[in-house]
Amino acid sequence: FRGRAVPARAAAESRALVRVSAPELARRSQLEVTRGRLLIAAAGFTVLFGAVGLKLSLATIIDPTQPKLRAAPRVPTGEPTVGRAAIHDRNGEVLAVSLQVTELYANPQEINDPVGTADRLLRVLPHLDRDRLIARITPRTVGESERPVQFAYIARNLPPRIQQAVNDLGIPGFHFRPAERRFYPQGRSAAHVLGQVDVDGQGIAGVEKSFDERLRNDRTPLRLSLDIRVQVALREAVDRAIADFNGIGGAGVLMDINTAEVLAMVSLPDYDASDPGGLQKRAEAAESPIRLVANRAPAAAAAPKQDQDPRFNRATVGLYEPGSTFKLLTAAMALDYGTANIWSSFDASRPIRYGRFTISDYKGKNRVLMLPEVMAYSSNLGAAHMAMGVGPTRHREFMVRLGMTQRLQLELPETARPLAPGPKDWRDINTMTVAFGHGISVTPLHVVNGISALANGGILRQPTLLAQPDGAARDGVRVISERTSETMRRLMRLVVTDGSGKGADVAGYFVGGKTGTAEKTGPRGGYLENKRIAAFVGAFPMNQPRYAIYVMVDEPKPNARSHGYATAGWVAAPAAGSVIGRVAPILGMVPETERIPQIQQTIAIPLQPGRPAAARPGTPAPPPRPNTP
């Protein structure tokens, strides 16, 4: 036993004698730490590759038809990314649209050499003012805190080639940013209706201002009632009349007689809607074709006289005495109140004297006139007697009912309230003068809207610039009876066939209306010598009225063809006739050629009982007689 136990004991003693050094222990400890780290790293990579494998499985095996893209590519849509909606006419023609442009600005704090930098930039933009440019890009501070200026506009509306040229200069401190600019493809057409926006895209005039919030928040195009084809035709006719008679301006309105939609509205002189007031041209002459600084509303410029300001809308802001066009309202009033009938007679044989005032006729007949003759011969005396039969109180009530004392509720910020005597100031003399369109001032839109009510069956509607749905009926107020309206259509037709409106007649369209020539009033009251307004207001066709028209020329002068006259029969009526002949086919109206005698018979009225109506109905009208206003 002792012999077998000795080796075991010796081995135990030999193991007990093995000693591990401190470096070895440290090495072994480090190996343990490294082994732990490797296990953690291996686990991380296992998770990572497991996730990648799972994603690949989802993308290629489980759901291969719907790949999940990390970033969707940007595909151009063809539509400008702008914030303001377009404006269209009733047929979808673009009247106003915003397009993307580029603006150039500078951070003066990043420019070390303002003078040298300005000289280099002027090679690309040579029309910039050098001193102003240097001042804008020179580092500076503002305010009590001396905050450094880090933004300065240099140019707006840069075309791509100019943008590239500026970029090629490699000048530090200059930057580009996208913006939008409002464009008006129709130029001057409908400039007063559309209005304009400022450099920040905010509406400041016209429809742009009235519908500013809608245009900014709704990208759907705003559809107006205007028909740009009619607008162009009306503008050209008014412009031609102004040129022929050397007038200082004019206005025109064409509207749907049943819905009161304004199809065309013209005020001359006008301006390019994309460059209101010619500000762009003045900027080019002064500094650059690309504006150096933001031009605000044109109102900031020196305003010319009102009647010569191209931004002044004569159709809705201009207040003029309507002249003889108001005789239609006087006749409708007397007929509707029952104080006169179609064959009532009125003494036009001698002037009316009221205190220091004298009322007389222009080239009068100097005899008793029947009501149709009062209209055809445009008798001031007959109209005054007719109105006095109604009386001042009811006369003013009728004017109020027809909206001739209130501002029209049109979708434009530029509208004017008529100038009319108040209830306490409306006396006999006011009734007599207002009866033939003197002593009251209204806008052209007031006149054509009132005449529309007389011709459409007696319903007065507020005019609108928004296109109405086809067949939609608009609310209105009855101002005269249908019977009175029918009589008024006959009287309006009589004025064109036998009176001062002959120049407005167009074969096959049965035009009716009334001329009006009124002297202009001065800024301090009183009438201005040889300064007048020549206007025609009417409707067509009178057998079934669809459209109303108004044409006015401001301060026309006689010419050789007018034999020394510049009254409405020579000036405005022919212009209205040319418009009707041009736009009626555009509006889908075919001239009547077969039933002319039958239609004329239904709308004709003789001057006197027993006297035949128009001798040759529907034939081209002869020149207007110069002795009628």
Side-chain angles (χ1 to χ4, degrees):
F1 294 102
R2 181 176 295 180
R4 292 192 293 271
V6 171
R9 196 166 43 246
E13 290 177 357
S14 104
R15 287 196 300 269
L17 292 175
V18 176
R19 295 180 181 181
V20 180
S21 64
E24 179 66 18
L25 291 174
R27 185 182 67 82
R28 292 181 180 181
S29 175
Q30 185 66 34
L31 286 174
E32 292 295 331
V33 172
T34 302
R35 185 180 295 108
R37 290 178 178 176
L38 288 174
L39 289 175
I40 294 173
F45 279 107
T46 301
V47 173
L48 175 63
F49 283 106
V52 173
L54 178 62
K55 185 67 176 178
L56 290 174
S57 299
L58 289 173
T60 59
I61 300 174
I62 299 176
D63 191 14
T65 59
Q66 298 181 6
K68 304 298 188 295
L69 300 177
R70 295 186 63 184
R74 184 175 179 179
V75 180
T77 61
E79 296 182 1
T81 55
V82 295
R84 194 171 184 85
I87 301 176
H88 293 177
D89 81 341
R90 65 186 306 110
N91 300 312
E93 290 292 328
V94 178
L95 302 180
V97 64
S98 293
L99 300 178
Q100 273 195 343
V101 294
T102 301
E103 296 178 340
L104 174 65
Y105 69 95
N107 183 350
Q109 305 304 318
E110 299 176 355
I111 299 176
N112 297 322
D113 181 12
V115 176
T117 298
D119 290 337
R120 294 180 64 187
L121 185 62
L122 287 171
R123 300 172 189 171
V124 178
L125 303 174
H127 297 285
L128 291 178
D129 182 86
R130 184 175 182 272
D131 294 335
R132 290 181 63 187
L133 178 58
I134 293 173
R136 292 183 70 81
I137 64 177
T138 299
R140 61 191 186 279
T141 59
V142 294
E144 296 180 356
S145 62
E146 296 186 352
R147 178 172 53 88
V149 175
Q150 297 182 347
F151 182 91
Y153 267 123
I154 302 301
R156 297 178 183 270
N157 310 322
L158 286 175
R161 62 179 183 83
I162 298 295
Q163 179 183 354
Q164 184 61 45
V166 173
N167 207 34
D168 291 342
L169 293 175
I171 306 176
F174 288 96
H175 308 276
F176 302 100
R177 73 174 190 177
E180 66 178 66
R181 181 185 177 187
R182 200 67 163 170
F183 289 90
Y184 301 89
Q186 304 299 333
R188 294 177 174 270
S189 299
H192 292 92
V193 175
L194 296 174
Q196 60 197 93
V197 298
D198 61 15
V199 293
D200 298 318
Q202 305 293 321
I204 58 174
V207 168
E208 295 278 21
K209 181 177 181 179
S210 296
F211 294 94
D212 183 59
E213 184 175 354
R214 187 265 190 230
L215 291 169
R216 286 190 284 112
N217 297 330
D218 186 352
R219 291 290 305 279
T220 305
L222 178 65
R223 183 166 169 257
L224 300 185
S225 60
L226 296 183
D227 187 323
I228 195 61
R229 302 168 301 174
V230 179
Q231 180 76 22
V232 170
L234 180 61
R235 183 188 181 279
E236 291 179 354
V238 175
D239 187 49
R240 187 165 53 250
I242 294 172
D244 289 344
F245 291 91
N246 197 25
I248 66 169
V253 179
L254 194 144
M255 62 190 300
D256 189 302
I257 206 169
N258 297 309
T259 64
E261 293 173 276
V262 177
L263 274 67
M265 179 184 291
V266 171
S267 176
L268 294 175
D270 55 13
Y271 59 91
D272 186 343
S274 296
D275 180 21
L279 295 177
Q280 179 73 15
K281 294 180 181 178
R282 292 197 293 272
E284 289 178 358
E287 50 193 42
S288 169
I290 304 165
R291 294 176 204 179
L292 180 64
V293 237
N295 283 318
R296 294 290 172 182
K305 288 180 60 178
Q306 176 174 285
D307 57 2
Q308 299 174 3
D309 188 348
R311 298 161 295 186
F312 180 71
N313 189 349
R314 282 175 161 82
T316 61
V317 182
L319 293 173
Y320 310 100
E321 290 194 345
S324 295
T325 58
F326 253 38
K327 290 171 184 172
L328 292 174
L329 303 185
T330 303
M333 173 184 65
L335 291 170
D336 207 60
Y337 278 133
T339 59
N341 59 53
I342 196 64
W343 301 123
S344 295
S345 58
F346 304 92
D347 185 9
S349 61
R350 57 183 181 274
I352 299 174
R353 291 182 172 81
Y354 187 95
R356 60 187 180 90
F357 301 101
T358 300
I359 299 173
S360 59
D361 281 342
Y362 177 78
K363 303 292 185 181
K365 299 298 181 181
N366 300 317
R367 61 177 176 83
V368 174
L369 300 175
M370 297 289 187
L371 192 150
E373 293 179 303
V374 173
M375 294 294 105
Y377 303 145
S378 198
S379 171
N380 295 339
L381 295 169
H385 286 301
M386 198 183 305
M388 284 304 296
V390 175
T393 301
R394 290 196 295 177
H395 186 196
R396 189 179 187 281
E397 290 175 354
F398 187 78
M399 292 293 109
V400 172
R401 193 193 314 167
L402 276 172
M404 297 300 165
T405 61
Q406 301 96 27
R407 192 188 307 269
L408 289 173
Q409 298 175 10
L410 187 69
E411 299 91 348
L412 285 181
E414 302 86 11
T415 58
R417 183 175 183 175
L419 300 177
K424 297 182 180 179
D425 299 325
W426 197 295
R427 298 170 294 173
D428 289 350
I429 185 61
N430 302 106
T431 286
M432 286 188 281
T433 57
V434 172
F436 53 87
H438 289 255
I440 186 172
S441 295
V442 297
T443 69
L445 190 59
H446 278 87
V447 177
V448 68
N449 196 51
I451 299 306
S452 294
L454 301 189
N456 69 8
I459 305 298
L460 180 72
R461 298 179 177 88
Q462 289 294 326
T464 180
L465 287 168
L466 294 179
Q468 302 299 306
D470 293 338
R474 294 191 65 212
D475 294 335
V477 178
R478 178 165 293 282
V479 290
I480 60 173
S481 66
E482 292 186 13
R483 182 176 180 180
T484 301
S485 177
E486 180 184 357
T487 304
M488 291 309 303
R489 291 196 291 269
R490 293 172 180 263
L491 291 173
M492 291 168 67
R493 177 61 180 163
L494 177 69
V495 173
V496 172
T497 56
D498 289 59
S500 56
K502 288 186 176 71
D505 201 15
V506 180
Y509 289 111
F510 307 100
V511 181
K514 185 73 183 74
T515 57
T517 306
E519 293 178 318
K520 293 181 67 175
T521 56
R524 298 182 179 179
Y527 291 99
L528 303 176
E529 186 177 359
N530 295 326
K531 291 189 176 183
R532 61 184 66 84
I533 297 293
F536 175 87
V537 63
F540 63 97
M542 295 315 297
N543 59 311
Q544 192 175 1
R546 292 180 58 185
Y547 301 101
I549 186 171
Y550 177 96
V551 173
M552 180 269 283
V553 176
D554 192 352
E555 294 188 20
K557 315 297 188 301
N559 61 25
R561 289 181 296 172
S562 67
H563 306 287
Y565 292 92
T567 52
W570 285 101
V571 177
S578 68
V579 174
I580 295 170
R582 183 174 173 184
V583 306
I586 294 176
L587 296 172
M589 300 177 64
V590 179
E592 184 63 58
T593 58
E594 297 180 357
R595 299 184 303 120
I596 290 179
Q598 296 89 329
I599 294 176
Q600 179 65 20
Q601 187 64 30
T602 63
I603 58 176
I605 192 171
L607 287 169
Q608 296 176 353
R611 180 173 176 176
R616 292 183 296 171
T619 58
R625 290 178 289 189
N627 63 341
T628 55

